[in-house]
Amino acid sequence: MIEVWAPDATSVDIDFSAPGEALTRAPMVRRDGGWWRWEGDHTAYAAFDYAFVLDGEEPALPDPRSSWQPYGVDGPSRLFDVAVHDWADTTWRGPRNGAGTLGGVIYELHIGTFTSEGTFDAAIERLDHLVDLGVDVVEVLPVAAIPGRWGWGYDGVDLYAVHDALGGPVAFQRFVDACHGRGLGVCLDVVYNHLGPSGNYLGRFGPYFTQTHLTPWGPAVNLDAPGSQEVRAFIIENALRWLRDFHVDALRLDAVHALVDDSERHLLRELSDAVADLGRELNRPLDLIAESDLNDTTMVTSTADGGLGMTAQWADDVHHGLHVALTGETQGYYEDFGGGTRTLPDGGPLDVLAHVLTRGFLHDGSWSTFRDRAWGKPVDVDELDGRRLVTYLQTHDQVGNRATGDRIGASITPGRAAIGAALYLLGPGTPMIFMGEEFAASSPWQFFTDFTDEGMAEAVRAGRRAEFGGHGWAAVDVPDPQSRATRDASVLRWDELASQPHASLLAWYRQLIRVRREVLGTGETRFADVSCAIADGGATFAMRHRAITVSADLERDAVTVSAPGIPDLVFP
């Protein structure tokens, strides 16, 4: 049986065939609630390809809940049996032996550039590197089907499908199983706030979008207008499917501030409760991590206490504080983090850094110059578990959304990079490493796409150039997102591990993670447990987090980590 929701259609037909064989067309029967059903037997086919024809209009369209798009986002769907994989993780209890994601070390990676092959199977061959590093959870950038061969994944249009160029759904199952076999949890980045512009057919099937609210990508996903009940169910079932059928341990939810929902029960609250129910059913921890720029801890407050129930949320302010203190850049949204603004009128960048390391957010109800308004909500540092803020020195966004995709190591010394690593890896947050950061990868991570529509390709090129002008960056030669060379330049160069300064920084990261595990443990922590001191006219900066002291010499670009029971760690 195959079903599709198309409430406004007067007829729906299904086209189906085995690969390479002639198509058969059959009418579908309308059911309650705008659902259509075909009860034919597809089990006789070793592989079953199908698409839907709405009201007799060609071309036939892929299934909105397609698991697999082997012919691309415009082609027919293929049925995928999630039970085909013979799982080896039957004793898996979740990241860190059932402790979950909070407080562990997350490693953010993009399958398409993690290796030159850009596939799940090739990524499996590099998992032992992450184990040796001390990683607890692998966060995989979106895997939903996108136009063309490669891209970041945030232009997905078939949210239930696994992009075929990465290996398709069965390869993703193999990848998750291989991670679990090495003690690594898996967090999947999912995008529910918009769909990509090319190959997006959801609006043809029903009211998946609404003009009631607008987002940076156009009409909002319909979460509170007529027809929203089925749209919400579409999203929630998608999330549960990754956790249940693909054994994923956590989901990172992209830009949740763009999920505009004026209904009585916000989608995130409903999703959080549904995931908690599934976790109890599966008897393992399931986590939700929100990317939110709202600087509001309601996001990580339990639904029972009136919050949205996310396990954790990204903390861009910590990144910005580190970045400005280490690089001196103050353009665009970095302006307030240089100090001397209405936010901290008497402070400089190190004062701002101390603020974010001890409070989590800079904008906690204070003025945001970049936004030209007050931003965020006050933080109770005595109550907030610091692990609920994911902290980082680099991310795919903060690197890839620079004009040339240059990593922080391209503009600072290895010593300064080591200072930044020590401050966030040994701080109270849940730390996240961006792939290659741990060995000062020289490869940039640039924005790349593979749209076949030349009009769309040119629009992306023009949009990138305009974006950098608006952020105050000087005119630069922005890499062509459509060029294969842009994607290829972004692939990690694993041969760098054996050379300097890459090997020394990798050893430093391994040491820091070991100290984090041995001294800080995995229990709750508070930003109130952190104190910072600035001395020598700003030449030295110290952070003390419980029993650990990080002492940075900003003139010599050197750092020392001290803690009871371990020899001092010194870089360089």
Side-chain angles (χ1 to χ4, degrees):
M1 179 182 70
I2 294 177
E3 293 184 308
V4 65
W5 184 60
D8 298 328
T10 57
S11 70
V12 179
D13 295 324
I14 182 172
D15 283 354
F16 61 93
S17 69
E21 295 187 0
L23 288 176
T24 299
R25 177 166 295 181
M28 301 182 74
V29 178
R30 188 179 184 100
R31 315 294 293 183
D32 293 340
W35 285 87
W36 297 79
R37 179 182 298 172
W38 176 70
E39 295 186 341
D41 181 15
H42 57 74
T43 60
Y45 295 81
F48 184 83
D49 295 338
Y50 67 104
F52 301 119
V53 179
L54 306 179
D55 296 327
E57 295 183 3
E58 303 287 352
L61 305 176
D63 186 350
R65 297 187 182 222
S66 168
S67 295
W68 194 0
Q69 290 295 122
Y71 307 102
V73 297
D74 300 307
S77 304
R78 178 170 293 175
L79 281 186
F80 172 70
D81 182 1
V82 297
V84 69
H85 180 70
D86 185 16
W87 290 92
D89 67 351
T90 54
T91 61
W92 176 251
R93 296 182 57 224
R96 297 184 298 126
N97 199 29
T101 301
L102 278 185
V105 176
I106 301 173
Y107 188 93
E108 186 190 36
L109 67 82
H110 175 260
I111 293 294
T113 52
F114 189 55
T115 66
S116 58
E117 298 88 347
T119 64
F120 292 113
D121 289 334
I124 290 172
E125 301 302 312
R126 292 291 178 183
L127 292 180
D128 289 340
H129 166 78
L130 304 185
V131 175
D132 293 341
L133 179 60
V135 168
D136 297 296
V137 178
V138 179
E139 180 181 319
V140 179
L141 267 62
V143 302
I146 59 174
R149 295 161 292 178
W150 48 68
W152 280 16
Y154 294 90
D155 283 329
V157 292
D158 293 295
L159 302 190
Y160 280 67
V162 177
H163 191 44
D164 195 59
L166 302 178
V170 70
F172 184 41
Q173 289 181 319
R174 284 197 299 269
F175 175 80
V176 175
D177 212 2
C179 286
H180 289 173
R182 292 165 172 80
L184 298 169
V186 178
C187 174
L188 176 63
D189 197 334
V190 291
V191 183
Y192 297 136
N193 52 59
H194 76 288
L195 271 74
S198 181
N200 174 8
Y201 300 109
L202 274 187
R204 299 275 297 275
F205 284 87
Y208 282 90
F209 303 93
T210 175
Q211 294 282 351
T212 304
H213 308 293
L214 296 178
T215 74
W217 303 282
V221 174
N222 179 17
L223 302 178
D224 54 13
S228 61
Q229 182 177 352
E230 288 293 351
V231 179
R232 295 167 72 97
F234 174 86
I235 293 172
I236 290 172
E237 177 52 35
N238 178 269
L240 299 180
R241 177 175 174 272
W242 297 120
L243 299 167
R244 181 187 60 237
D245 298 340
F246 288 82
H247 293 205
V248 166
D249 302 288
L251 300 175
R252 181 265 191 184
L253 309 177
D254 182 68
V256 297
H257 45 270
L259 292 170
V260 188
D261 183 5
D262 290 336
S263 59
E264 184 176 347
R265 189 185 186 200
H266 194 282
L267 173 74
L268 293 181
R269 183 172 296 168
E270 184 177 352
L271 175 60
S272 177
D273 288 340
V275 168
D277 288 343
L278 180 62
R280 285 187 286 270
E281 177 187 330
L282 298 177
N283 194 31
R284 60 184 175 91
L286 302 176
D287 293 320
L288 295 172
I289 300 174
E291 181 200 16
S292 170
D293 78 345
L294 301 178
N295 288 16
D296 186 347
T297 57
T298 300
M299 187 68 61
V300 293
T301 300
S302 71
T303 59
D305 292 328
L308 295 176
M310 301 292 101
T311 306
Q313 67 183 89
W314 279 27
D316 269 356
D317 281 16
V318 175
H319 166 272
H320 298 347
L322 287 166
H323 187 90
V324 172
L326 296 172
T327 68
E329 293 184 6
T330 56
Q331 76 273 26
Y333 50 70
Y334 291 138
E335 181 176 359
D336 286 346
F337 295 83
T341 67
R342 288 174 61 181
T343 299
L344 285 176
D346 298 323
L350 293 182
D351 297 284
V352 174
L353 179 58
H355 187 95
V356 297
L357 291 175
T358 57
R359 301 195 64 82
F361 301 133
L362 174 63
H363 297 123
D364 49 8
S366 60
W367 187 260
S368 168
T369 304
F370 178 73
R371 300 177 177 94
D372 195 27
R373 57 175 291 188
W375 197 258
K377 297 290 179 63
V379 178
D380 186 342
V381 293
D382 292 318
E383 292 296 326
L384 176 65
D385 182 349
R387 300 174 304 165
R388 294 194 178 275
L389 297 188
V390 177
T391 56
Y392 32 83
L393 181 61
Q394 301 181 79
T395 71
H396 76 277
D397 272 330
Q398 301 302 336
V399 175
N401 284 326
R402 295 173 65 81
T404 60
D406 53 310
R407 295 169 178 266
I408 195 170
S411 55
I412 63 174
T413 65
R416 289 222 162 188
I419 291 170
L423 290 173
Y424 89 89
L425 282 169
L426 299 178
T430 293
M432 183 178 73
I433 300 166
F434 178 55
M435 65 175 195
E437 172 194 323
E438 74 279 11
F439 61 90
S442 66
S443 52
W445 203 70
Q446 300 173 335
F447 182 73
F448 49 89
T449 56
D450 189 34
F451 292 113
T452 56
D453 182 325
E454 187 52 39
M456 182 64 65
E458 185 52 41
V460 170
R461 293 186 186 103
R464 293 292 285 180
R465 290 192 293 267
E467 177 184 356
F468 296 122
H471 279 280
W473 268 288
V476 295
D477 186 14
V478 179
D480 180 2
Q482 284 286 118
S483 170
R484 174 164 187 158
T486 304
R487 176 265 173 189
D488 290 350
S490 302
V491 175
L492 289 182
R493 301 165 187 166
W494 289 97
D495 59 344
E496 293 182 335
L497 291 177
S499 61
Q500 294 296 353
H502 311 287
S504 293
L505 202 63
L506 176 59
W508 178 248
Y509 269 73
R510 286 172 173 161
Q511 290 173 319
L512 294 176
I513 293 171
R514 176 177 55 82
V515 169
R516 177 183 179 86
R517 181 171 289 116
E518 293 178 0
V519 179
L520 295 180
T522 60
E524 290 190 14
T525 188
R526 298 284 182 271
F527 280 92
D529 295 333
V530 180
S531 61
C532 296
I534 305 166
D536 303 322
T540 62
F541 182 90
M543 178 189 76
R544 182 172 178 82
H545 178 207
R546 288 158 50 185
I548 297 177
T549 299
V550 178
S551 303
D553 185 327
L554 296 168
E555 286 191 348
R556 295 178 51 248
D557 292 350
V559 57
T560 300
V561 174
S562 304
I566 66 167
D568 283 358
L569 306 182
V570 180
F571 192 99

PDB file of all heavy atoms in Angstrom, residues 91-101 283-287:
ATOM      1  N   THR A  91      23.222  -3.864  21.406  1.00  0.00           N
ATOM      2  CA  THR A  91      23.493  -3.553  22.810  1.00  0.00           C
ATOM      3  C   THR A  91      23.784  -2.066  23.020  1.00  0.00           C
ATOM      4  O   THR A  91      24.148  -1.656  24.130  1.00  0.00           O
ATOM      5  CB  THR A  91      24.692  -4.376  23.333  1.00  0.00           C
ATOM      6  OG1 THR A  91      25.861  -4.054  22.565  1.00  0.00           O
ATOM      7  CG2 THR A  91      24.404  -5.868  23.228  1.00  0.00           C
ATOM      8  N   TRP A  92      23.618  -1.266  21.988  1.00  0.00           N
ATOM      9  CA  TRP A  92      23.906   0.167  22.065  1.00  0.00           C
ATOM     10  C   TRP A  92      22.933   0.849  23.026  1.00  0.00           C
ATOM     11  O   TRP A  92      21.719   0.716  22.903  1.00  0.00           O
ATOM     12  CB  TRP A  92      23.801   0.787  20.684  1.00  0.00           C
ATOM     13  CG  TRP A  92      23.990   2.276  20.634  1.00  0.00           C
ATOM     14  CD1 TRP A  92      23.038   3.221  20.395  1.00  0.00           C
ATOM     15  CD2 TRP A  92      25.218   2.999  20.789  1.00  0.00           C
ATOM     16  NE1 TRP A  92      23.581   4.476  20.395  1.00  0.00           N
ATOM     17  CE2 TRP A  92      24.923   4.377  20.649  1.00  0.00           C
ATOM     18  CE3 TRP A  92      26.541   2.619  21.043  1.00  0.00           C
ATOM     19  CZ2 TRP A  92      25.901   5.372  20.753  1.00  0.00           C
ATOM     20  CZ3 TRP A  92      27.510   3.605  21.146  1.00  0.00           C
ATOM     21  CH2 TRP A  92      27.195   4.953  21.001  1.00  0.00           C
ATOM     22  N   ARG A  93      23.479   1.599  23.983  1.00  0.00           N
ATOM     23  CA  ARG A  93      22.659   2.288  24.968  1.00  0.00           C
ATOM     24  C   ARG A  93      22.632   3.790  24.754  1.00  0.00           C
ATOM     25  O   ARG A  93      21.992   4.520  25.513  1.00  0.00           O
ATOM     26  CB  ARG A  93      23.176   1.987  26.380  1.00  0.00           C
ATOM     27  CG  ARG A  93      23.073   0.522  26.777  1.00  0.00           C
ATOM     28  CD  ARG A  93      23.570   0.326  28.202  1.00  0.00           C
ATOM     29  NE  ARG A  93      22.819   1.168  29.140  1.00  0.00           N
ATOM     30  CZ  ARG A  93      23.365   1.885  30.127  1.00  0.00           C
ATOM     31  NH1 ARG A  93      24.677   1.870  30.295  1.00  0.00           N
ATOM     32  NH2 ARG A  93      22.615   2.600  30.935  1.00  0.00           N
ATOM     33  N   GLY A  94      23.371   4.262  23.762  1.00  0.00           N
ATOM     34  CA  GLY A  94      23.432   5.685  23.504  1.00  0.00           C
ATOM     35  C   GLY A  94      24.827   6.228  23.733  1.00  0.00           C
ATOM     36  O   GLY A  94      25.712   5.521  24.223  1.00  0.00           O
ATOM     37  N   PRO A  95      25.060   7.488  23.367  1.00  0.00           N
ATOM     38  CA  PRO A  95      26.392   8.089  23.551  1.00  0.00           C
ATOM     39  C   PRO A  95      26.856   7.999  24.993  1.00  0.00           C
ATOM     40  O   PRO A  95      26.079   8.135  25.927  1.00  0.00           O
ATOM     41  CB  PRO A  95      26.163   9.556  23.140  1.00  0.00           C
ATOM     42  CG  PRO A  95      24.976   9.526  22.235  1.00  0.00           C
ATOM     43  CD  PRO A  95      24.105   8.424  22.756  1.00  0.00           C
ATOM     44  N   ARG A  96      28.130   7.747  25.161  1.00  0.00           N
ATOM     45  CA  ARG A  96      28.773   7.669  26.481  1.00  0.00           C
ATOM     46  C   ARG A  96      28.027   6.688  27.386  1.00  0.00           C
ATOM     47  O   ARG A  96      27.709   6.982  28.528  1.00  0.00           O
ATOM     48  CB  ARG A  96      28.871   9.058  27.098  1.00  0.00           C
ATOM     49  CG  ARG A  96      29.748  10.000  26.265  1.00  0.00           C
ATOM     50  CD  ARG A  96      29.946  11.362  26.882  1.00  0.00           C
ATOM     51  NE  ARG A  96      28.664  12.050  27.018  1.00  0.00           N
ATOM     52  CZ  ARG A  96      28.216  12.561  28.155  1.00  0.00           C
ATOM     53  NH1 ARG A  96      28.927  12.460  29.246  1.00  0.00           N
ATOM     54  NH2 ARG A  96      27.068  13.180  28.195  1.00  0.00           N
ATOM     55  N   ASN A  97      27.721   5.532  26.774  1.00  0.00           N
ATOM     56  CA  ASN A  97      27.115   4.417  27.517  1.00  0.00           C
ATOM     57  C   ASN A  97      25.813   4.818  28.201  1.00  0.00           C
ATOM     58  O   ASN A  97      25.550   4.460  29.349  1.00  0.00           O
ATOM     59  CB  ASN A  97      28.101   3.858  28.549  1.00  0.00           C
ATOM     60  CG  ASN A  97      27.724   2.459  28.989  1.00  0.00           C
ATOM     61  OD1 ASN A  97      27.116   1.700  28.246  1.00  0.00           O
ATOM     62  ND2 ASN A  97      28.090   2.101  30.218  1.00  0.00           N
ATOM     63  N   GLY A  98      25.003   5.564  27.472  1.00  0.00           N
ATOM     64  CA  GLY A  98      23.687   5.916  27.971  1.00  0.00           C
ATOM     65  C   GLY A  98      23.580   7.280  28.612  1.00  0.00           C
ATOM     66  O   GLY A  98      22.496   7.704  29.006  1.00  0.00           O
ATOM     67  N   ALA A  99      24.697   8.023  28.715  1.00  0.00           N
ATOM     68  CA  ALA A  99      24.650   9.353  29.327  1.00  0.00           C
ATOM     69  C   ALA A  99      24.067  10.399  28.383  1.00  0.00           C
ATOM     70  O   ALA A  99      23.656  11.463  28.813  1.00  0.00           O
ATOM     71  CB  ALA A  99      26.048   9.779  29.777  1.00  0.00           C
ATOM     72  N   GLY A 100      24.038  10.114  27.089  1.00  0.00           N
ATOM     73  CA  GLY A 100      23.486  11.057  26.129  1.00  0.00           C
ATOM     74  C   GLY A 100      24.519  12.036  25.607  1.00  0.00           C
ATOM     75  O   GLY A 100      25.731  11.909  25.840  1.00  0.00           O
ATOM     76  N   THR A 101      24.032  13.056  24.923  1.00  0.00           N
ATOM     77  CA  THR A 101      24.900  14.011  24.238  1.00  0.00           C
ATOM     78  C   THR A 101      25.489  15.055  25.173  1.00  0.00           C
ATOM     79  O   THR A 101      26.628  15.492  25.003  1.00  0.00           O
ATOM     80  CB  THR A 101      24.094  14.717  23.126  1.00  0.00           C
ATOM     81  OG1 THR A 101      23.596  13.729  22.215  1.00  0.00           O
ATOM     82  CG2 THR A 101      24.948  15.709  22.372  1.00  0.00           C
ATOM     83  N   ASN A 283      14.308   2.840  25.038  1.00  0.00           N
ATOM     84  CA  ASN A 283      15.161   2.680  26.224  1.00  0.00           C
ATOM     85  C   ASN A 283      16.585   3.161  25.963  1.00  0.00           C
ATOM     86  O   ASN A 283      17.565   2.512  26.339  1.00  0.00           O
ATOM     87  CB  ASN A 283      15.174   1.227  26.700  1.00  0.00           C
ATOM     88  CG  ASN A 283      15.760   1.089  28.096  1.00  0.00           C
ATOM     89  OD1 ASN A 283      15.642   1.995  28.921  1.00  0.00           O
ATOM     90  ND2 ASN A 283      16.404  -0.031  28.373  1.00  0.00           N
ATOM     91  N   ARG A 284      16.696   4.315  25.328  1.00  0.00           N
ATOM     92  CA  ARG A 284      17.993   4.960  25.142  1.00  0.00           C
ATOM     93  C   ARG A 284      17.761   6.465  25.024  1.00  0.00           C
ATOM     94  O   ARG A 284      16.676   6.904  24.619  1.00  0.00           O
ATOM     95  CB  ARG A 284      18.750   4.433  23.919  1.00  0.00           C
ATOM     96  CG  ARG A 284      18.054   4.595  22.571  1.00  0.00           C
ATOM     97  CD  ARG A 284      18.876   3.938  21.468  1.00  0.00           C
ATOM     98  NE  ARG A 284      18.218   3.946  20.179  1.00  0.00           N
ATOM     99  CZ  ARG A 284      18.357   4.913  19.267  1.00  0.00           C
ATOM    100  NH1 ARG A 284      19.138   5.961  19.526  1.00  0.00           N
ATOM    101  NH2 ARG A 284      17.742   4.843  18.108  1.00  0.00           N
ATOM    102  N   PRO A 285      18.748   7.285  25.402  1.00  0.00           N
ATOM    103  CA  PRO A 285      18.563   8.745  25.349  1.00  0.00           C
ATOM    104  C   PRO A 285      18.486   9.244  23.915  1.00  0.00           C
ATOM    105  O   PRO A 285      19.263   8.828  23.051  1.00  0.00           O
ATOM    106  CB  PRO A 285      19.817   9.282  26.056  1.00  0.00           C
ATOM    107  CG  PRO A 285      20.844   8.207  25.882  1.00  0.00           C
ATOM    108  CD  PRO A 285      20.082   6.908  25.903  1.00  0.00           C
ATOM    109  N   LEU A 286      17.539  10.124  23.655  1.00  0.00           N
ATOM    110  CA  LEU A 286      17.401  10.778  22.357  1.00  0.00           C
ATOM    111  C   LEU A 286      17.408  12.279  22.602  1.00  0.00           C
ATOM    112  O   LEU A 286      16.631  12.775  23.423  1.00  0.00           O
ATOM    113  CB  LEU A 286      16.100  10.351  21.668  1.00  0.00           C
ATOM    114  CG  LEU A 286      15.915   8.858  21.416  1.00  0.00           C
ATOM    115  CD1 LEU A 286      14.535   8.590  20.829  1.00  0.00           C
ATOM    116  CD2 LEU A 286      17.003   8.319  20.483  1.00  0.00           C
ATOM    117  N   ASP A 287      18.249  12.996  21.895  1.00  0.00           N
ATOM    118  CA  ASP A 287      18.444  14.415  22.178  1.00  0.00           C
ATOM    119  C   ASP A 287      18.077  15.288  20.994  1.00  0.00           C
ATOM    120  O   ASP A 287      18.189  14.881  19.827  1.00  0.00           O
ATOM    121  CB  ASP A 287      19.909  14.676  22.562  1.00  0.00           C
ATOM    122  CG  ASP A 287      20.284  14.026  23.881  1.00  0.00           C
ATOM    123  OD1 ASP A 287      19.459  14.065  24.806  1.00  0.00           O
ATOM    124  OD2 ASP A 287      21.395  13.471  23.985  1.00  0.00           O
TER     125      ASP A 287
END
